[in-house]
Amino acid sequence: ENGITRPKGYKVSFHYNSRVEDMHFGKTHPMKPWRLTLTKHLVLGYGLHYAMDTYEAVAAGKDQVRAFHDPDYVDFLAQVSPQTFADLCAMPRFAKYCPPKHENDTIDLGPFNLSTSAGADCPVFDGMSTYLFLYTGATLAATHQLTTQQTDIAVNWSGGLHHAHRGEASGFCYINDIVLSILDMLRYFPRVLYIDIDVHHGDGVEEAFQRQPRVMTLSYHRYGPYDETGHKFFPGTGDITDTGLKGTVGEHFALNVPIPSGIDDRQYKFLFEAVTGRAIEAFNPSAIVLQCGADSLGGDRLGQFNINIKQHGECVSFVKRTRLPLLILGGGGYTARNVARAWCHETALATDNVLPDAIPLDIVPRPEAFQNRAHGNGLLYPPFQRLHNNECKDADLEGMVKKIDT
Ligand code: TV7
Ligand code: CA
Ligand code: ZN
């Protein structure tokens, strides 16, 4: 016996699809869908599938995706591949979306911020269309389980792609599965709270609901200049003064917690619990969507925070304690072994299971991914080689919370 039990008094559903995991954005692209395979290996290795209902996702339909996205963009996404890209771009219907070309561009941008050039944030890759409609299908299936009260917590680690806009891909995100999910939820729940702990600002979701007082968006993210050239950390939005569209009924229903690099567990816990607690109290949501981007972990390839898996998970526990219908999604996360650790740990938290910290290396197919000679094979405290200087001052935290709470 592995000791894994189903949670008492509530249900958890787990949505996945193996075909999503086998996709490749390109050799050097930081987004690695196989981190989902690694996550699944840990979840199965620990036996957490005994604690949940598991569902293999089917692809979302174009009509479902059109509930938020531009119809031309949806048709393009449904047909695009490296083979069809040039021909599609040449069609008058899509050519009008192509930006003018510049002499010394390193990246050839096509329509909708898509590109076949190496180095593009949103590349066109083999199987891309399948990938997009499948991760979206998984989120919509998870949402359906919640809105029909067949489950209490639904999990889709392949979703959470918060940067996609109505008619444009952005920051590794093509279809905004989160927006589509919340739109569905609004047919059943009076108010939906969206919480985003990815290290990047959840700009696409905030923008989609900037005029909607029934949706509150709350993002925690790295914000500010991050290099010598004064470039801002992507996407550069989400200032503390950004609280929704001024002069509309949506004003005050967006919250942003911009954070300097290097924030530690204690500081993050303080900010997260103070601001999220107040948001829940003031907004009184009927359901919650939690985007659990794992690039906020210390040692992430793109992130700049220093928080550990235990604190990342405490955000999930804190939100779960509201006992509201909860959709848990993935998002960013670029150091695959740590992404898998965090999301497996959070699957355990969702199902009220406590896992032994030693990863069961004998039952995961790729033990070498979790084996480290110097630091062992712990689940919660992997070695973080590259920690960031903590630029986050204790003295500023209290003031930030006050400023947001107005
Ligand atoms: C949700 N950072 C998505 C986060 C999206 C971040 C960016 C890269 C990057 C892209 C690559 C690549 C990279 C090592 C890192 C202004 C630019 C600078 C392209 C090189 N290596 C999420 C998006 C962010 C693509 N984009 O929130 C191919 O880093 O900063 C930018 C924009 C222009 C484009 N260039 C980067 O976590 C899922 N991109 C290597 C190959
Ligand atoms: Ca965020
Ligand atoms: Zn991110």
Tab-separated table of all heavy atoms in Angstrom, residues 28-31 119-121 161-163 171-173 198 200 234 295 302 331-332 334, ligand 1:
chain	number	residue	atom	x	y	z
A	28	THR	N	15.708	25.301	-28.640
A	28	THR	CA	16.171	26.146	-27.540
A	28	THR	C	15.035	26.882	-26.824
A	28	THR	O	15.274	27.654	-25.905
A	28	THR	CB	17.198	27.185	-28.040
A	28	THR	OG1	16.532	28.012	-29.021
A	28	THR	CG2	18.395	26.509	-28.676
A	29	HIS	N	13.812	26.675	-27.278
A	29	HIS	CA	12.687	27.377	-26.655
A	29	HIS	C	12.503	26.923	-25.204
A	29	HIS	O	12.510	25.728	-24.930
A	29	HIS	CB	11.397	27.142	-27.453
A	29	HIS	CG	10.327	28.142	-27.148
A	29	HIS	ND1	9.638	28.137	-25.961
A	29	HIS	CD2	9.863	29.207	-27.846
A	29	HIS	CE1	8.777	29.150	-25.958
A	29	HIS	NE2	8.901	29.815	-27.090
A	30	PRO	N	12.323	27.865	-24.267
A	30	PRO	CA	12.231	27.481	-22.849
A	30	PRO	C	10.981	26.676	-22.478
A	30	PRO	O	10.992	25.946	-21.488
A	30	PRO	CB	12.229	28.820	-22.089
A	30	PRO	CG	12.298	29.907	-23.100
A	30	PRO	CD	12.319	29.324	-24.474
A	31	MET	N	9.887	26.818	-23.251
A	31	MET	CA	8.664	26.083	-22.902
A	31	MET	C	8.797	24.620	-23.325
A	31	MET	O	8.946	24.327	-24.506
A	31	MET	CB	7.455	26.727	-23.590
A	31	MET	CG	6.142	26.017	-23.306
A	31	MET	SD	5.764	25.884	-21.559
A	31	MET	CE	4.619	27.251	-21.373
A	119	GLY	N	13.834	31.369	-32.287
A	119	GLY	CA	13.998	32.492	-31.375
A	119	GLY	C	12.720	33.261	-31.120
A	119	GLY	O	12.689	34.168	-30.289
A	120	ALA	N	11.647	32.905	-31.828
A	120	ALA	CA	10.376	33.598	-31.598
A	120	ALA	C	9.714	33.099	-30.316
A	120	ALA	O	9.797	31.921	-29.985
A	120	ALA	CB	9.445	33.365	-32.778
A	121	ASP	N	9.054	33.995	-29.594
A	121	ASP	CA	8.320	33.603	-28.385
A	121	ASP	C	7.180	32.647	-28.733
A	121	ASP	O	6.909	31.710	-27.997
A	121	ASP	CB	7.729	34.846	-27.690
A	121	ASP	CG	8.699	35.479	-26.694
A	121	ASP	OD1	9.800	34.926	-26.496
A	121	ASP	OD2	8.342	36.532	-26.123
A	161	LEU	N	-2.595	29.441	-19.715
A	161	LEU	CA	-1.796	30.235	-20.651
A	161	LEU	C	-2.341	31.667	-20.751
A	161	LEU	O	-3.090	32.041	-21.647
A	161	LEU	CB	-1.682	29.470	-21.958
A	161	LEU	CG	-0.947	28.144	-21.589
A	161	LEU	CD1	-1.066	27.090	-22.645
A	161	LEU	CD2	0.512	28.396	-21.240
A	162	HIS	N	-1.904	32.442	-19.770
A	162	HIS	CA	-2.522	33.726	-19.412
A	162	HIS	C	-2.193	34.934	-20.284
A	162	HIS	O	-2.765	35.989	-20.080
A	162	HIS	CB	-2.209	34.058	-17.939
A	162	HIS	CG	-0.733	34.133	-17.627
A	162	HIS	ND1	-0.253	34.440	-16.361
A	162	HIS	CD2	0.364	33.932	-18.399
A	162	HIS	CE1	1.065	34.430	-16.366
A	162	HIS	NE2	1.473	34.120	-17.585
A	163	HIS	N	-1.231	34.818	-21.232
A	163	HIS	CA	-0.857	36.005	-22.030
A	163	HIS	C	-1.643	36.149	-23.333
A	163	HIS	O	-1.598	37.209	-23.949
A	163	HIS	CB	0.630	35.986	-22.398
A	163	HIS	CG	1.562	36.050	-21.232
A	163	HIS	ND1	1.481	37.040	-20.272
A	163	HIS	CD2	2.594	35.248	-20.873
A	163	HIS	CE1	2.440	36.829	-19.369
A	163	HIS	NE2	3.128	35.757	-19.705
A	171	GLY	N	3.817	35.700	-25.535
A	171	GLY	CA	4.534	35.009	-24.456
A	171	GLY	C	4.213	33.530	-24.313
A	171	GLY	O	3.813	33.092	-23.233
A	172	PHE	N	4.452	32.750	-25.343
A	172	PHE	CA	4.285	31.284	-25.359
A	172	PHE	C	2.802	30.863	-25.252
A	172	PHE	O	2.508	29.683	-25.104
A	172	PHE	CB	5.071	30.565	-24.228
A	172	PHE	CG	6.444	31.083	-23.919
A	172	PHE	CD1	7.077	30.772	-22.704
A	172	PHE	CD2	7.160	31.884	-24.822
A	172	PHE	CE1	8.351	31.233	-22.397
A	172	PHE	CE2	8.442	32.353	-24.517
A	172	PHE	CZ	9.031	32.037	-23.307
A	173	CYS	N	1.877	31.812	-25.289
A	173	CYS	CA	0.445	31.505	-25.117
A	173	CYS	C	-0.312	31.827	-26.403
A	173	CYS	O	-0.165	32.921	-26.951
A	173	CYS	CB	-0.147	32.314	-23.970
A	173	CYS	SG	0.715	32.126	-22.394
A	198	ASP	N	2.042	32.802	-11.240
A	198	ASP	CA	3.122	32.752	-12.242
A	198	ASP	C	4.001	33.998	-12.020
A	198	ASP	O	3.492	35.040	-11.624
A	198	ASP	CB	2.472	32.780	-13.632
A	198	ASP	CG	3.431	32.504	-14.779
A	198	ASP	OD1	4.292	33.376	-15.070
A	198	ASP	OD2	3.298	31.447	-15.409
A	200	HIS	N	5.149	35.894	-14.131
A	200	HIS	CA	4.781	36.934	-15.101
A	200	HIS	C	3.373	37.470	-14.825
A	200	HIS	O	2.531	36.763	-14.267
A	200	HIS	CB	4.844	36.363	-16.529
A	200	HIS	CG	6.208	35.897	-16.939
A	200	HIS	ND1	6.595	34.569	-16.856
A	200	HIS	CD2	7.272	36.583	-17.421
A	200	HIS	CE1	7.849	34.456	-17.277
A	200	HIS	NE2	8.292	35.663	-17.626
A	234	PHE	N	9.111	40.833	-18.746
A	234	PHE	CA	7.938	40.558	-19.579
A	234	PHE	C	6.669	40.376	-18.739
A	234	PHE	O	6.743	39.744	-17.699
A	234	PHE	CB	8.194	39.282	-20.409
A	234	PHE	CG	7.115	39.002	-21.415
A	234	PHE	CD1	7.144	39.600	-22.666
A	234	PHE	CD2	6.064	38.145	-21.100
A	234	PHE	CE1	6.140	39.349	-23.600
A	234	PHE	CE2	5.060	37.896	-22.032
A	234	PHE	CZ	5.095	38.501	-23.270
A	295	ASP	N	7.161	29.123	-12.553
A	295	ASP	CA	8.361	29.929	-12.812
A	295	ASP	C	8.601	30.944	-11.697
A	295	ASP	O	9.583	31.683	-11.725
A	295	ASP	CB	8.294	30.606	-14.190
A	295	ASP	CG	6.975	31.298	-14.447
A	295	ASP	OD1	6.128	31.373	-13.536
A	295	ASP	OD2	6.774	31.788	-15.589
A	302	LEU	N	13.711	31.116	-16.227
A	302	LEU	CA	13.291	32.476	-16.609
A	302	LEU	C	12.905	33.349	-15.419
A	302	LEU	O	12.948	34.566	-15.500
A	302	LEU	CB	12.104	32.435	-17.582
A	302	LEU	CG	12.301	31.798	-18.952
A	302	LEU	CD1	11.095	32.081	-19.829
A	302	LEU	CD2	13.570	32.303	-19.626
A	331	GLY	N	0.817	26.725	-16.117
A	331	GLY	CA	1.281	28.009	-16.636
A	331	GLY	C	2.762	27.895	-16.935
A	331	GLY	O	3.210	26.877	-17.463
A	332	GLY	N	3.529	28.917	-16.563
A	332	GLY	CA	4.966	28.890	-16.795
A	332	GLY	C	5.652	27.886	-15.873
A	332	GLY	O	5.019	27.250	-15.016
A	334	TYR	N	10.077	26.635	-16.021
A	334	TYR	CA	11.086	26.371	-17.052
A	334	TYR	C	12.278	25.554	-16.568
A	334	TYR	O	13.217	25.338	-17.316
A	334	TYR	CB	11.495	27.707	-17.689
A	334	TYR	CG	10.254	28.418	-18.192
A	334	TYR	CD1	9.647	29.446	-17.460
A	334	TYR	CD2	9.609	27.983	-19.348
A	334	TYR	CE1	8.465	30.042	-17.886
A	334	TYR	CE2	8.430	28.554	-19.779
A	334	TYR	CZ	7.857	29.576	-19.044
A	334	TYR	OH	6.675	30.137	-19.454
B	1	TV7	C1	3.163	31.656	-19.175
B	1	TV7	N1	11.397	35.480	-21.872
B	1	TV7	C2	5.068	32.857	-20.325
B	1	TV7	C3	6.289	33.728	-20.210
B	1	TV7	C4	6.645	34.344	-21.555
B	1	TV7	C5	7.925	35.152	-21.522
B	1	TV7	C6	10.608	35.752	-22.894
B	1	TV7	C7	12.094	34.334	-23.612
B	1	TV7	C8	12.821	33.421	-24.510
B	1	TV7	C9	12.216	33.067	-25.707
B	1	TV7	C10	12.882	32.168	-26.555
B	1	TV7	C11	14.145	31.672	-26.174
B	1	TV7	C12	14.074	32.900	-24.189
B	1	TV7	C13	15.835	32.590	-22.648
B	1	TV7	C14	12.299	34.599	-22.276
B	1	TV7	C15	10.703	40.741	-25.445
B	1	TV7	C16	11.284	39.576	-26.124
B	1	TV7	C17	12.604	39.025	-25.654
B	1	TV7	C18	12.856	36.154	-28.069
B	1	TV7	C19	14.203	35.546	-27.722
B	1	TV7	N2	14.711	32.059	-24.996
B	1	TV7	C20	4.425	32.505	-18.991
B	1	TV7	C21	8.150	35.860	-22.821
B	1	TV7	C22	9.432	36.661	-22.841
B	1	TV7	C23	12.299	31.732	-27.765
B	1	TV7	N3	9.462	37.501	-24.000
B	1	TV7	O1	4.012	33.647	-18.272
B	1	TV7	C24	12.958	30.823	-28.576
B	1	TV7	O2	14.652	33.254	-23.016
B	1	TV7	O3	10.799	39.016	-23.092
B	1	TV7	C25	10.169	38.638	-24.041
B	1	TV7	C26	10.099	39.399	-25.375
B	1	TV7	C27	11.213	39.519	-27.615
B	1	TV7	C28	11.406	38.088	-28.103
B	1	TV7	N4	12.704	37.548	-27.634
B	1	TV7	C29	12.780	37.582	-26.151
B	1	TV7	O4	5.331	31.821	-18.156
B	1	TV7	C30	3.368	30.377	-19.894
B	1	TV7	N5	11.037	35.068	-23.993
B	1	TV7	C31	14.800	30.763	-27.019
B	1	TV7	C32	14.222	30.339	-28.208
